[in-house]
Amino acid sequence: MRVVLINMPWASIDVPSLALGILKNRVAKVFPEVDVEVVHANLDFVDWVTDRMEFFGRDYLYYSLFTYFQGCGDWVFSSALYDDPKWRLSEFRERHEESMKPAEIELNVRLHELVPEFVDELARRVVALAPDIVGFTSTFQQNTASLAAAKRVKLLSPKTVTILGGANCDGAQGEALHRNFDFVDFVARGEGEAAFPQFIEAVRDGARDFAGVPGLCWRDTEGTPVANPMSTRPLPPSEIESPDYDGYFERLYSSVAQNWVEPKLVLEGARGCWWGEKHHCTFCGLNGSFMEFRSKSPVRFYDEMIDLVKRHQVLDIFVVDNILDMAYVKSVLPRIIESGYDLRVQYEIKSNMRYEQVEVLAKAGLLHVQPGIESLNSRVLKLMDKGVTGCHNVRLMRDAETLGLTVSWNYLYGFPGETAADYPDEIAQMPALHHLYPAGGTSRIAIERFSPYFDRPELGFAELRPDKQYSLIYDLPERELFDLAYLFDALPQGIGSAEAAVLDTAVEEWKASYAHSKLTFCEVDGAIVLVSRRSGFDWTVLTLADPLELAAFRLLNQPRTPEALARKLSVDQDVIVALLERWRALGLVFTESGHYIQVAVEARNQDVLHIDRAVFRAGRHGAEAEELLPV
């Protein structure tokens, strides 16, 4: 038996497919006689399209990352799905004529016209392998590309079994895909380690007994769609398979894409979210059907990591866990530090981690963290059920800057219950934070399937409709689009467009100022010397020598109220309030919900960080970069 697994555009090209790597390894263990091949069609597409038009790494990122909420990647391949190079072309132009630049629209249109040829060539190559089963993984903007390829494979080889799986197939989405596209024989919903081998066994043995495969969508002898109940038992961590990435790196190094990206390993230490088990963030739909947190044993996760590093000679690692298992801070990460491997790791964490914990991350090679900051206002964060405060988020940004970690976050708004009063004070204080890593941008929240906002209309979004992108992509009635969609439109909540524009302007100013801004401190002969270079403040050097000021500054390493600070220092609260207001005017502290925290970065490596980032953003090198050096 031969199984071909396909990773279609617009999957990221700098990493192998974790899902297909897991399935490949699992099938090999259960059925060593079954031949499993992974086709890296995302890389194939890069080589195919660059032979036919000007197309660069930034263009691939445009689809794989930046236009997810517009659905451009799926729309491009809808022409192949419906065998029409002009599919919804006029509607696309009309929808985006004001929001896109002409060059963007023409890029979309040109690819829309070309991709049917690519899908046909790919399908012919796959069919030539004589597979018994062809499987597609579909996550983010892979849906129409996968559907189009499955349709073409089925047309060329009707006896070949086609199956879809992945995040886009979870729950009702998988049922809708199976129900509406009859060239997809099966859809796998949920975790595949157990279900996929059961499915292969049913196909291989010819028994065609699919009723016992959990989560599987199939058709009975009369062609009626059947959706098996999904498993109610998440896989225990011991059954979460490690991936087999053999073939990916060899394919990348023969592709044009090798000139665009630095390849990374994808690792998985845990599934689910330990915070979400107790407090599901109201806007988050990332964990789909299974929120229960499960993590691999520290020994196993470390061994898997090092084995993959050695096998593929790659030190850059992207960990897909929705949240760091805090036990790893005292187990896995110290072993990485002791190993001597110069790893460069990306991880999602929670933003209330303390300095000592963040320091372990940095020593272990974490360069990039995604802490889910989302806002600097505690009341809005409470509406999200984040379990942190605005001062916690600022503390994390400050400590990360000290330790050399890049912090990835976006400022979100549009939560039911937020008001215009929740934003002006934080916006007014942003110039004091210009030396800390800024938000990537601002955006009104999207309503995601599996989120509390989707499941519980009483939280504020009672009337949901499929996001507008889906009507441009699929030829389906709205009731079917509702089941197929992951993103939904709703009446806007929270602040209005005018307030949102003010927030956006403030964040853009922060982004523009970051590379040239500075606020550091160091202790010299018992005094604290602060150095500032931020456009919103006219002072450069400030020395704290008064014992009260020194003690207060050190205590404000953690968020504190004026009352608590006065009690700690045994002074009148009015004295502390006056000091804090003076420090706020100087941009030394951030205050929110009655708490204060000092925002200066310990003078260690901030200048190096700013030099590197400033040079990178300006595209300058050598002597041209000297003007960006600190003075």
Side-chain angles (χ1 to χ4, degrees):
M1 171 177 269
R2 170 168 286 184
V3 177
V4 173
L5 303 174
I6 304 178
N7 192 29
M8 292 295 289
W10 299 94
S12 297
I13 54 178
D14 60 341
V15 293
S17 169
L18 175 66
L20 298 189
I22 285 174
L23 292 184
K24 180 182 178 183
N25 207 16
R26 184 62 179 166
V27 172
K29 289 181 178 179
V30 178
F31 305 112
E33 74 280 6
V34 172
D35 178 26
V36 182
E37 180 174 347
V38 174
V39 174
H40 307 285
N42 54 341
L43 296 173
D44 295 340
F45 178 74
V46 167
D47 295 335
W48 184 89
V49 75
T50 51
D51 280 343
R52 288 158 176 80
M53 60 180 283
E54 283 196 349
F55 190 88
F56 305 99
R58 64 177 180 270
D59 298 318
Y60 197 94
L61 278 175
Y62 174 83
Y63 293 103
S64 67
L65 183 62
F66 297 125
T67 61
Y68 173 64
F69 291 100
Q70 288 101 325
C72 292
D74 273 325
W75 181 79
V76 161
F77 275 90
S78 65
S79 60
L81 175 59
Y82 291 106
D83 300 315
D84 182 0
K86 304 296 183 183
W87 175 257
R88 303 271 166 90
L89 181 56
S90 60
E91 294 95 326
F92 182 86
R93 287 186 181 276
E94 183 179 351
R95 174 79 54 86
H96 296 294
E97 62 182 353
E98 293 185 2
S99 60
M100 286 185 181
K101 298 176 182 177
E104 286 181 80
I105 291 180
E106 293 313 310
L107 174 64
N108 281 285
V109 170
R110 176 65 172 143
L111 290 174
H112 191 67
E113 294 171 345
L114 283 177
V115 295
E117 182 185 348
F118 168 75
V119 170
D120 180 66
E121 290 184 16
L122 172 68
R124 291 181 184 278
R125 181 159 56 89
V126 170
V127 168
L129 298 173
D132 299 283
I133 297 172
V134 176
F136 298 85
T137 181
S138 181
T139 301
F140 298 125
Q141 293 197 77
Q142 287 183 288
N143 237 22
T144 55
S146 298
L147 288 169
K151 180 180 181 180
R152 192 63 181 159
V153 166
K154 199 69 178 174
L155 182 66
L156 295 170
S157 179
K159 292 184 179 180
T160 299
V161 173
T162 56
I163 181 169
L164 262 66
N168 288 336
C169 300
D170 204 353
Q173 292 174 280
E175 291 186 60
L177 285 169
H178 187 253
R179 188 168 60 239
N180 287 286
F181 301 101
D182 58 7
F183 49 83
V184 177
D185 296 319
F186 301 90
V187 171
R189 302 178 300 153
E191 298 170 302
E193 283 94 334
F196 196 62
Q198 292 180 43
F199 164 75
I200 289 179
E201 185 172 22
V203 173
R204 184 192 63 173
D205 295 344
R208 314 292 289 183
D209 182 11
F210 300 111
V213 182
L216 188 70
C217 297
W218 53 287
R219 293 180 180 86
D220 63 20
T221 55
E222 296 180 355
T224 303
V226 178
N228 294 344
M230 294 183 65
S231 174
T232 58
R233 169 185 170 269
L235 280 178
S238 60
E239 295 181 27
I240 298 176
E241 191 62 71
S242 56
D244 178 349
Y245 292 143
D246 285 358
Y248 163 77
F249 293 98
E250 294 83 355
R251 179 65 187 91
L252 175 64
Y253 296 140
S254 68
S255 169
V256 172
Q258 71 169 317
N259 301 313
W260 298 349
V261 298
E262 189 72 28
K264 304 175 185 67
L265 291 165
V266 183
L267 269 67
E268 180 184 40
R271 291 180 186 173
C273 179
W274 52 260
W275 175 255
E277 280 189 271
K278 300 177 181 178
H279 301 274
H280 191 170
C281 296
T282 52
F283 62 94
C284 177
L286 287 180
N287 286 286
S289 300
F290 292 127
M291 180 66 74
E292 182 179 328
F293 184 73
R294 300 144 283 155
S295 63
K296 296 175 181 177
S297 74
V299 172
R300 181 187 167 197
F301 184 44
Y302 173 82
D303 288 344
E304 283 184 8
M305 180 185 303
I306 299 305
D307 286 348
L308 286 169
V309 166
K310 289 179 177 178
R311 183 174 186 85
H312 299 291
Q313 298 294 292
V314 173
L315 294 171
D316 290 271
I317 295 173
F318 178 72
V319 182
V320 298
D321 303 0
N322 288 153
I323 194 167
L324 170 70
D325 183 347
M326 292 304 294
Y328 285 177
V329 176
K330 294 183 178 180
S331 55
V332 176
L333 299 183
R335 286 196 68 187
I336 294 174
I337 296 169
E338 294 168 2
S339 74
Y341 283 97
D342 184 20
L343 302 183
R344 298 178 290 273
V345 185
Q346 301 180 41
Y347 226 124
E348 291 194 33
I349 65 172
K350 204 166 188 300
S351 64
N352 61 354
M353 293 185 72
R354 292 183 174 271
Y355 181 90
E356 295 78 13
Q357 296 169 324
V358 180
E359 187 175 31
V360 174
L361 304 185
K363 289 180 177 178
L366 270 77
L367 296 180
H368 183 108
V369 293
Q370 186 174 337
I373 289 173
E374 267 86 62
S375 179
L376 301 181
N377 181 282
S378 293
R379 203 183 81 83
V380 176
L381 289 164
K382 189 173 183 179
L383 293 174
M384 304 181 204
D385 212 356
K386 292 292 291 186
V388 295
T389 68
C391 283
H392 283 140
N393 286 340
V394 170
R395 180 183 68 183
L396 188 280
M397 289 191 286
R398 180 200 66 195
D399 293 347
E401 191 75 24
T402 294
L403 294 163
L405 275 68
T406 297
V407 179
S408 177
W409 65 290
N410 288 296
Y411 212 117
L412 303 182
Y413 61 90
F415 297 91
E418 76 178 11
T419 70
D422 291 320
Y423 288 87
D425 195 47
E426 281 70 32
I427 290 173
Q429 294 184 81
M430 282 184 185
L433 307 178
H434 280 181
H435 60 295
L436 305 181
Y437 206 80
T442 66
S443 63
R444 186 173 293 277
I445 58 166
I447 310 304
E448 300 178 351
R449 184 181 296 276
F450 307 114
S451 71
Y453 281 147
F454 177 81
D455 291 327
R456 298 172 56 194
E458 71 273 14
L459 292 179
F461 295 101
E463 298 181 9
L464 298 178
R465 298 184 63 181
D467 188 87
K468 293 182 178 65
Q469 63 172 275
Y470 298 106
S471 63
L472 276 181
I473 297 166
Y474 300 101
D475 188 20
L476 295 172
E478 184 165 306
R479 65 180 180 276
E480 293 296 333
L481 290 179
F482 191 93
D483 285 347
L484 182 146
Y486 181 75
L487 300 172
F488 294 84
D489 286 333
L491 291 174
Q493 299 290 328
I495 61 174
S497 57
E499 292 87 356
V502 173
L503 175 64
D504 186 68
T505 298
V507 169
E508 290 301 312
E509 290 175 353
W510 186 350
K511 290 167 63 178
S513 300
Y514 169 70
H516 307 284
S517 296
K518 174 179 182 176
L519 177 62
T520 61
F521 79 92
C522 62
E523 299 209 18
V524 180
D525 296 331
I528 292 176
V529 179
L530 296 120
V531 178
S532 173
R533 187 176 65 215
R534 295 165 295 166
S535 59
F537 302 91
D538 58 6
W539 64 274
T540 303
V541 179
L542 179 68
T543 301
L544 305 181
D546 178 79
L548 176 64
E549 291 187 345
L550 290 170
F553 185 86
R554 291 172 180 136
L555 284 171
L556 288 173
N557 196 50
Q558 306 297 332
R560 300 185 191 276
T561 64
E563 179 184 15
L565 202 57
R567 187 168 57 250
K568 284 272 188 181
L569 296 172
S570 301
V571 296
D572 190 86
Q573 188 171 327
D574 290 342
V575 173
I576 294 299
V577 169
L579 176 64
L580 292 174
E581 286 305 305
R582 179 160 59 87
W583 280 359
R584 171 173 169 156
L586 294 170
L588 295 186
V589 295
F590 174 84
T591 178
E592 192 274 325
S593 294
H595 288 73
Y596 290 76
I597 188 166
Q598 73 84 6
V599 299
V601 174
E602 186 178 349
R604 292 170 61 179
N605 57 5
Q606 188 195 25
D607 284 342
V608 175
L609 286 171
H610 282 179
I611 293 167
D612 290 346
R613 290 168 183 160
V615 171
F616 173 78
R617 290 181 177 182
R620 302 174 187 174
H621 304 279
E624 287 183 289
E626 290 183 1
E627 64 186 87
L628 299 174
L629 297 176
V631 294

